[in-house]
Amino acid sequence: GAGVSQSPRYKVAKRGQDVALRCDPISGHVSLFWYQQALGQGPEFLTYFQNEAQLDKSGLPSDRFFAERPEGSVSTLKIQRTQQEDSAVYLCASSLYRAGGWGIQYFGAGTRLSVL
Amino acid sequence: SQQGEEDPQALSIQEGENATMNCSYKTSINNLQWYRQNSGRGLVHLILIRSNEREKHSGRLRVTLDTSKKSSSLLITASRAADTASYFCATDREYGNKLVFGAGTILRVKS
């Protein structure tokens, strides 16, 4: 596609529910990133894939957060047993270059998660 | 936690005026980038400056980088109402390219 696509755009979950957020990166982009953006703040890094390999998951806040990119294209961020503090916008970005390069990242519109 | 800090946190100017935003960061960097975010949207890349560059221009944008002070500035000249958005600086470390963002500057351009 022309840009990074994320779905759903909005998700409301009851506390304790599991959610799955999808990211479709730009075709051919090697790198894929997930960020979490709290209201009024800048995005914070969650995890990074190079093709299907998850090379950095240092930003995942707890073991309730899990991400995968099994075929090196579409990625899913899963949050188990959601809690109110998980409420945020989850942004996906893709980049043509590998880690260590000069990657300009192209962002999707994000998924706004509200946990009630 | 975020590395960068932008100032001011919010800026309100008249159309046609220039807007200057500043960013400071804490560690050594590979690149510094500026992104714009319109309300409810994703981030859009504006300009990238490498650590060995001091100034860069792109259209109405001018970015400076001072690695000795670990700071950067973004100047938008002849601002337009459509420039109203949040602006973030983001850095990547030498060994990887995950981005570390500041808290952003909210720019409002009044017509």
Side-chain angles (χ1 to χ4, degrees):
Chain A
V4 178
S5 177
Q6 291 188 247
S7 62
R9 286 295 315 277
Y10 304 93
K11 177 69 178 176
V12 178
K14 291 184 180 177
R15 191 160 52 111
Q17 277 186 333
D18 297 349
V19 298
L21 313 180
R22 177 189 168 104
C23 173
D24 248 297
I26 294 172
S27 178
H29 276 196
V30 170
S31 303
L32 186 145
F33 303 82
W34 285 97
Y35 294 87
Q36 180 190 59
Q37 186 175 23
L39 190 63
Q41 298 295 316
E44 293 211 8
F45 170 79
L46 293 176
T47 187
Y48 158 66
F49 290 86
Q50 182 177 313
N51 295 306
E52 69 278 3
Q54 189 175 20
L55 298 187
D56 188 345
K57 53 182 180 179
S58 61
L60 296 176
S62 77
D63 58 8
R64 297 185 297 104
F65 286 71
F66 172 76
E68 59 183 6
R69 193 186 185 198
E71 297 177 357
S73 178
V74 171
S75 177
T76 303
L77 176 67
K78 298 179 179 177
I79 309 173
Q80 296 177 324
R81 304 180 303 281
T82 53
Q83 300 178 6
Q84 284 190 318
E85 61 261 31
D86 299 335
S87 295
V89 174
Y90 290 85
L91 295 167
C92 176
S94 69
S95 175
L96 185 59
Y97 297 103
R98 298 179 179 183
W102 331 302
I104 292 170
Q105 296 187 16
Y106 298 86
F107 283 80
T111 294
R112 182 177 296 277
L113 173 65
S114 298
V115 181
L116 306 178
Chain B
S1 61
Q2 292 170 316
Q3 163 166 238
E5 293 183 1
E6 278 100 329
D7 84 272
Q9 289 186 326
L11 180 60
S12 183
I13 59 174
Q14 291 294 135
E15 205 165 27
E17 293 181 339
N18 295 341
T20 299
M21 289 161 267
N22 302 297
C23 164
S24 61
Y25 57 91
K26 297 174 186 171
T27 64
S28 61
I29 63 170
N30 187 32
N31 303 313
L32 185 142
Q33 303 181 46
W34 285 89
Y35 285 80
R36 183 188 73 221
Q37 185 176 37
N38 290 87
S39 181
R41 303 288 186 92
L43 287 86
V44 174
H45 177 263
L46 295 176
I47 193 165
L48 179 152
I49 186 165
R50 305 197 198 293
S51 59
N52 61 354
E53 297 177 313
R54 292 296 167 257
E55 188 171 312
K56 203 159 184 181
H57 297 253
S58 176
R60 294 185 295 115
L61 305 180
R62 172 178 170 254
V63 170
T64 61
L65 178 64
D66 186 335
T67 53
S68 67
K69 295 181 180 177
K70 292 186 169 57
S71 66
S72 173
S73 67
L74 171 68
L75 168 67
I76 304 174
T77 60
S79 63
R80 305 166 181 168
D83 295 329
T84 294
S86 293
Y87 291 81
F88 296 92
C89 70
T91 56
D92 61 14
R93 296 288 301 274
E94 292 178 0
Y95 52 82
N97 64 350
K98 69 182 183 186
L99 295 177
V100 180
F101 288 85
T105 292
I106 300 171
L107 173 65
R108 181 184 172 209
V109 181
K110 295 177 284 187
S111 56

